[in-house]
Amino acid sequence: MKNIITIFGAILIILGIASLAYNGFSYTTKENVAEVKVPQVGHFEVTETKQNTVLIPPLAGEISIGVGIILMIASRFSKK
């Protein structure tokens, strides 16, 4: 149990540092804007590519680092 708490604390610290370094991430999606049926030519689809950004607040990274440090310290003082 002690090792699991230490590993979880280390993961939280790493994720907190990464969130402070990158401030978020972006991803792209494709959406159908219109569908057109032309009798002599065929079926057309008009798609739009959108870039979406998810921002991670710096406070979330700081809390993650703090909880990770507390877990690692607590695992050192816990009983077997």
Side-chain angles (χ1 to χ4, degrees):
M1 186 70 170
K2 191 175 179 180
N3 289 334
I4 293 173
I5 294 173
T6 304
I7 291 170
F8 189 64
I11 289 171
L12 282 176
I13 291 171
I14 291 169
L15 289 175
I17 291 170
S19 71
L20 288 175
Y22 291 109
N23 295 329
F25 59 93
S26 298
Y27 63 95
T28 57
T29 57
K30 288 186 179 182
E31 297 179 5
N32 283 341
V33 176
E35 293 183 18
V36 179
K37 291 183 181 179
V38 179
Q40 296 148 346
V41 180
H43 181 75
F44 288 104
E45 290 184 7
V46 179
T47 60
E48 179 181 16
T49 303
K50 286 187 175 181
Q51 184 171 3
N52 302 313
T53 303
V54 177
L55 297 175
I56 301 172
L59 184 60
E62 294 166 0
I63 290 173
S64 176
I65 292 171
V67 170
I69 290 171
I70 290 170
L71 286 176
M72 292 186 77
I73 291 171
S75 70
R76 296 231 183 236
F77 293 114
S78 68
K79 295 181 182 179
K80 291 184 180 181

